[in-house]
Amino acid sequence: MSVPRVALTVDLVILTVREQRLCALTWMRDSEPYRGCWSLPGGFIQLDEDLPVAAARVMDEKAGLADVRIHLEQLATFGYPDRDPRQRVVSVTYLGLAPNLPASSRAQVTWKPVDVLLAREENAFDHRRILRDGVERARSKLEYTPLAAAFCPPEFTVAELRRVYEIVWGTPLDPRNFHRKVTGADRFLVPTGTTTTRDGGRPARLFRRGGAVQLHPPMLRPSA
Amino acid sequence: MSVPRVALTVDLVILTVREQRLCALTWMRDSEPYRGCWSLPGGFIQLDEDLPVAAARVMDEKAGLADVRIHLEQLATFGYPDRDPRQRVVSVTYLGLAPNLPASSRAQVTWKPVDVLLAREENAFDHRRILRDGVERARSKLEYTPLAAAFCPPEFTVAELRRVYEIVWGTPLDPRNFHRKVTGADRFLVPTGTTTTRDGGRPARLFRRGGAVQLHPPMLRPSA
DNA sequence: ACAAAAGTGTTTGGGATACACCCATGT
DNA sequence: ACATGGGTGTATCCCAAACACTTTTGT
């Protein structure tokens, strides 16, 4: 029995926080279609390759973030027939949250603020839609998982973590109540025992990510 | 440029509540591979077909639930290389919640309790894993969306809705507090103005689904 | 001394839980 | 009359928001 076969890609929504803004890793296209438009880093899946493996390979080859072991989770699959003008291509997308890192050395790959990307129209395929879904997923994941810490360097202060929440959610948070909530949440943060004054003022305790997978209790967004 | 192409299927996790149990629609395989094992209803995607359209077609052709317009949402995509012994097949899965309906007239398609399906090993491909993910998604969706009402007939009582929650979550709920919460949630339920005594006792008001998409405030599971 | 940021204590209000109690039907 | 389930009222508790206040640094 013969069945239709389609080309399958993995496309990545890699987010970070840098210079007080939520940014996504973009690939500037230098060939048709959509030459000169931004796209998400992506690549075709090999026949013998598992989906997460393909995602990790694209992280390496296209995004230039090979060494960095960042959290990658499946976002959604996009496959309406004409999303790629050349042929039927179905895209399995992954969401990753990274600390503020230099991206690839290639000029083609850069961090861009998501609000700029979502406002501009010059995007390839349906990648603006995919980015929007990824950002929304990240926003809600911050509520009930400890993934906000994935945006931070290995050691960070409570205030730095709060800045992540404020930038991703786009809302100011009360520093005092935030402090109590995150330090009280089960296995969210583990103190290193050291402090830093890099943010000015009184020395702040440094923390590392704890082993929690879910957040109890969750950090809920202000009612919006 | 030549790229690898793979076969793509849509597989459905269709859940309902019947006879006090959470059940899933299963397809009994009558050909190899996995002859005699249960599987999820599924089918190959056509070249010119959007993914949700393919899901609706499978609902019709395989599940025999054509007329019924039920809620279908994308669940996840499964694609490790050897999940189908014949060839590389990637499966885009959808989750649907249905009221208690007669399934197809074909004996091959039946409702089976999910606890039985998840306990048994005689399943095709990785469909047990997919079912498990679908059930978990449904459980958490009941918390913050009004989808529990999708398990009910068009008109239903608060107690019938409560039974849905109790069966899907596997926990008893306080009838009084449940009543207050669901009738107080914004646009969850709209009263029809009529009552029924089909459950015995004092007549219960009948409700229809309201227009809410999210639940404010959410119905949280007992801490478990 | 003063500014700046970290961290703690305290009050208060809304929502959830637990449960007593009343209502409206069938038998 | 009584059983059965529908529905309301109420005390209590917990948690989160709001914000005054103390602590510890740099300049």
Side-chain angles (χ1 to χ4, degrees), chain A residues 166-208:
Chain A
E166 291 178 330
I167 290 166
V168 175
W169 284 349
T171 3
L173 299 172
D174 184 291
R176 290 84 53 110
N177 293 330
F178 181 86
H179 188 279
R180 214 189 333 256
K181 275 163 87 168
V182 295
T183 53
D186 188 39
R187 295 168 56 77
F188 189 2
L189 303 179
V190 290
T192 62
T194 55
T195 60
T196 181
T197 58
R198 63 189 177 212
D199 297 328
R202 168 175 168 180
R205 297 163 70 197
L206 282 167
F207 294 88
R208 253 189 280 273

Coordinates of all heavy atoms in Angstrom, one line a residue, chain A residues 166-208:
Chain A
E166 N 9.1 39.7 35.3 CA 8.5 41.0 34.9 C 8.7 41.2 33.4 O 7.7 41.7 32.7 CB 9.2 42.1 35.7 CG 8.9 42.1 37.1 CD 9.6 43.2 37.9 OE1 10.7 43.6 37.6 OE2 9.0 43.7 38.9
I167 N 9.8 40.8 32.8 CA 10.0 41.1 31.4 C 9.2 40.1 30.5 O 8.6 40.5 29.6 CB 11.5 40.9 31.0 CG1 12.3 42.1 31.7 CG2 11.8 40.9 29.6 CD1 13.8 42.0 31.7
V168 N 9.1 38.8 30.9 CA 8.4 37.9 30.1 C 6.9 38.2 30.2 O 6.2 38.1 29.2 CB 8.7 36.4 30.6 CG1 7.8 35.4 29.8 CG2 10.1 36.1 30.4
W169 N 6.4 38.5 31.4 CA 5.0 38.8 31.6 C 4.6 40.2 31.2 O 3.4 40.5 31.0 CB 4.6 38.5 33.0 CG 4.5 37.0 33.3 CD1 4.5 36.0 32.4 CD2 4.3 36.5 34.6 NE1 4.3 34.8 33.1 CE2 4.2 35.1 34.4 CE3 4.2 37.0 35.9 CZ2 4.0 34.2 35.5 CZ3 4.0 36.1 37.0 CH2 3.9 34.7 36.8
G170 N 5.6 41.1 31.2 CA 5.3 42.5 30.9 C 4.5 43.2 32.0 O 3.8 44.1 31.8
T171 N 4.7 42.7 33.3 CA 4.0 43.4 34.4 C 5.0 43.5 35.6 O 5.8 42.7 35.8 CB 2.9 42.5 35.0 OG1 2.9 41.2 34.4 CG2 1.6 43.1 35.0
P172 N 4.9 44.7 36.3 CA 5.8 44.8 37.5 C 5.2 43.9 38.6 O 4.0 43.6 38.7 CB 5.6 46.3 37.8 CG 4.3 46.7 37.2 CD 4.1 45.8 36.0
L173 N 6.1 43.4 39.4 CA 5.8 42.5 40.5 C 6.3 43.2 41.8 O 7.4 43.8 41.8 CB 6.4 41.1 40.3 CG 5.9 40.4 39.1 CD1 6.7 39.1 38.9 CD2 4.4 40.1 39.2
D174 N 5.6 42.9 42.9 CA 6.1 43.4 44.2 C 7.3 42.7 44.6 O 7.2 41.4 44.8 CB 5.0 43.3 45.2 CG 5.3 43.9 46.6 OD1 6.2 43.4 47.2 OD2 4.8 45.0 46.9
P175 N 8.4 43.3 44.8 CA 9.7 42.6 45.2 C 9.6 41.8 46.5 O 10.1 40.7 46.6 CB 10.7 43.8 45.3 CG 10.2 44.9 44.6 CD 8.7 44.8 44.7
R176 N 8.9 42.4 47.5 CA 8.8 41.7 48.8 C 8.0 40.4 48.7 O 8.4 39.4 49.1 CB 8.2 42.7 49.8 CG 9.0 43.8 50.2 CD 8.9 45.0 49.3 NE 7.6 45.5 49.0 CZ 7.1 46.7 49.5 NH1 7.9 47.4 50.2 NH2 5.9 47.0 49.1
N177 N 6.8 40.5 48.1 CA 6.0 39.3 48.0 C 6.6 38.3 47.1 O 6.5 37.1 47.3 CB 4.6 39.7 47.5 CG 3.8 40.5 48.5 OD1 4.1 40.4 49.7 ND2 3.0 41.4 48.1
F178 N 7.2 38.8 46.0 CA 7.9 37.9 45.1 C 9.0 37.1 45.8 O 9.1 35.9 45.7 CB 8.5 38.6 43.9 CG 9.2 37.7 42.9 CD1 8.5 37.2 41.9 CD2 10.6 37.5 43.0 CE1 9.1 36.4 40.9 CE2 11.2 36.6 42.1 CZ 10.4 36.1 41.0
H179 N 9.7 37.8 46.6 CA 10.8 37.1 47.3 C 10.3 36.0 48.2 O 10.8 34.9 48.2 CB 11.5 38.2 48.2 CG 12.8 37.7 48.9 ND1 12.7 37.0 50.0 CD2 14.1 37.8 48.5 CE1 14.0 36.7 50.4 NE2 14.8 37.2 49.5
R180 N 9.2 36.3 48.9 CA 8.7 35.3 49.8 C 8.2 34.1 49.1 O 8.4 33.0 49.5 CB 7.5 35.9 50.7 CG 7.4 35.4 52.0 CD 6.1 35.9 52.7 NE 5.7 37.2 52.1 CZ 5.9 38.3 52.7 NH1 6.4 38.4 53.9 NH2 5.4 39.4 52.2
K181 N 7.5 34.4 47.9 CA 6.9 33.3 47.2 C 8.0 32.3 46.6 O 7.9 31.1 46.8 CB 6.0 33.8 46.1 CG 4.6 34.1 46.5 CD 3.9 35.0 45.6 CE 3.2 34.3 44.5 NZ 2.2 35.1 43.7
V182 N 9.0 32.9 46.0 CA 10.0 32.0 45.3 C 10.8 31.3 46.4 O 11.2 30.1 46.2 CB 10.9 32.7 44.3 CG1 10.0 33.2 43.1 CG2 11.6 33.8 44.9
T183 N 11.2 32.0 47.4 CA 12.0 31.3 48.4 C 11.2 30.3 49.2 O 11.7 29.3 49.7 CB 12.7 32.3 49.4 OG1 11.6 33.1 50.0 CG2 13.7 33.1 48.7
G184 N 9.9 30.5 49.2 CA 9.0 29.5 49.9 C 8.6 28.3 49.1 O 8.3 27.3 49.6
A185 N 8.6 28.4 47.8 CA 8.2 27.4 46.9 C 9.1 26.2 47.0 O 10.3 26.3 47.1 CB 8.2 27.8 45.4
D186 N 8.5 25.0 47.0 CA 9.2 23.8 47.3 C 10.3 23.4 46.3 O 10.0 23.2 45.1 CB 8.2 22.6 47.5 CG 8.9 21.3 48.0 OD1 9.8 21.5 48.9 OD2 8.5 20.3 47.5
R187 N 11.5 23.4 46.7 CA 12.6 23.0 45.8 C 12.8 23.8 44.5 O 13.4 23.3 43.5 CB 12.5 21.5 45.4 CG 12.6 20.5 46.6 CD 12.2 19.1 46.2 NE 12.9 18.5 45.1 CZ 14.1 18.1 45.2 NH1 14.8 18.1 46.3 NH2 14.8 17.6 44.1
F188 N 12.3 25.0 44.5 CA 12.5 25.9 43.4 C 14.0 26.4 43.4 O 14.7 26.3 42.4 CB 11.6 27.1 43.5 CG 11.5 28.0 42.3 CD1 12.2 27.7 41.1 CD2 10.6 29.1 42.3 CE1 12.1 28.6 40.0 CE2 10.6 29.9 41.2 CZ 11.3 29.7 40.1
L189 N 14.5 26.9 44.5 CA 15.8 27.5 44.6 C 16.6 26.9 45.7 O 16.1 26.5 46.8 CB 15.6 29.0 44.9 CG 14.8 29.8 44.0 CD1 14.7 31.3 44.4 CD2 15.4 29.8 42.5
V190 N 17.9 26.7 45.5 CA 18.8 26.2 46.5 C 19.9 27.3 46.8 O 20.5 27.7 45.8 CB 19.4 24.9 46.2 CG1 18.4 23.8 46.3 CG2 20.1 24.9 44.9
P191 N 20.0 27.8 48.0 CA 21.0 28.8 48.2 C 22.4 28.3 48.1 O 22.7 27.1 48.4 CB 20.7 29.2 49.7 CG 19.9 28.1 50.3 CD 19.3 27.4 49.2
T192 N 23.3 29.1 47.5 CA 24.7 28.7 47.4 C 25.5 29.0 48.7 O 26.6 28.5 48.9 CB 25.4 29.4 46.2 OG1 25.4 30.8 46.5 CG2 24.6 29.2 44.9
G193 N 24.9 29.9 49.5 CA 25.7 30.3 50.7 C 26.5 31.6 50.5 O 27.0 32.2 51.4
T194 N 26.6 32.0 49.2 CA 27.4 33.2 48.9 C 26.4 34.3 48.5 O 25.2 34.1 48.4 CB 28.3 32.9 47.7 OG1 27.6 32.4 46.6 CG2 29.4 31.9 48.1
T195 N 27.0 35.5 48.5 CA 26.2 36.7 48.1 C 26.9 37.5 47.0 O 28.1 37.2 46.7 CB 26.0 37.6 49.3 OG1 27.3 38.0 49.8 CG2 25.3 36.9 50.4
T196 N 26.2 38.5 46.5 CA 26.8 39.3 45.5 C 26.3 40.7 45.7 O 25.1 40.9 46.2 CB 26.5 38.9 44.0 OG1 27.1 39.8 43.1 CG2 25.0 38.9 43.8
T197 N 27.0 41.7 45.2 CA 26.5 43.1 45.3 C 26.4 43.6 43.8 O 26.4 44.9 43.6 CB 27.4 44.0 46.1 OG1 28.7 44.0 45.6 CG2 27.4 43.6 47.6
R198 N 26.4 42.8 42.8 CA 26.5 43.2 41.5 C 25.3 44.1 41.1 O 25.3 44.8 40.1 CB 26.6 42.0 40.5 CG 25.5 41.0 40.5 CD 25.8 39.8 39.7 NE 24.8 38.8 39.7 CZ 25.0 37.5 39.6 NH1 26.2 37.0 39.5 NH2 24.0 36.6 39.6
D199 N 24.2 43.9 41.8 CA 23.0 44.8 41.5 C 23.0 46.0 42.4 O 22.0 46.8 42.3 CB 21.7 43.9 41.7 CG 21.7 42.7 40.8 OD1 22.2 42.8 39.7 OD2 21.1 41.7 41.2
G200 N 24.0 46.3 43.2 CA 24.0 47.5 44.0 C 23.2 47.2 45.3 O 22.5 46.2 45.4
G201 N 23.4 48.1 46.3 CA 22.6 48.0 47.5 C 23.1 46.9 48.4 O 24.3 46.4 48.3
R202 N 22.3 46.5 49.3 CA 22.7 45.4 50.2 C 23.0 44.1 49.5 O 22.3 43.8 48.5 CB 21.5 45.2 51.1 CG 21.5 43.9 52.0 CD 20.3 43.9 52.9 NE 20.2 42.6 53.6 CZ 19.2 42.3 54.4 NH1 18.4 43.3 54.8 NH2 19.2 41.2 55.0
P203 N 24.0 43.3 49.9 CA 24.3 42.1 49.2 C 23.1 41.1 49.1 O 22.4 41.0 50.1 CB 25.4 41.5 50.1 CG 25.9 42.6 50.9 CD 24.8 43.6 51.1
A204 N 23.0 40.5 48.0 CA 21.9 39.6 47.8 C 22.4 38.2 47.8 O 23.5 37.9 47.3 CB 21.2 39.9 46.4
R205 N 21.6 37.2 48.4 CA 22.0 35.8 48.4 C 22.0 35.3 47.0 O 21.1 35.6 46.2 CB 21.1 35.0 49.3 CG 21.2 35.5 50.7 CD 20.0 35.0 51.5 NE 20.0 33.5 51.7 CZ 19.0 32.8 52.1 NH1 17.8 33.4 52.3 NH2 19.1 31.5 52.3
L206 N 22.9 34.4 46.6 CA 22.9 33.7 45.3 C 22.2 32.4 45.4 O 22.3 31.7 46.5 CB 24.3 33.6 44.8 CG 24.9 34.9 44.2 CD1 26.4 34.7 44.0 CD2 24.3 35.2 42.9
F207 N 21.5 32.0 44.4 CA 20.8 30.7 44.4 C 21.1 30.0 43.1 O 21.6 30.5 42.1 CB 19.3 30.9 44.4 CG 18.8 31.5 45.7 CD1 18.8 32.9 45.9 CD2 18.4 30.7 46.7 CE1 18.3 33.5 47.1 CE2 17.9 31.3 47.9 CZ 17.9 32.7 48.1
R208 N 21.0 28.6 43.2 CA 21.0 27.8 42.0 C 19.6 27.2 41.8 O 18.8 27.2 42.7 CB 22.0 26.6 42.2 CG 23.3 26.8 41.5 CD 24.1 25.5 41.6 NE 24.8 25.5 42.9 CZ 26.1 26.0 43.0 NH1 26.7 26.6 42.0 NH2 26.7 26.0 44.2

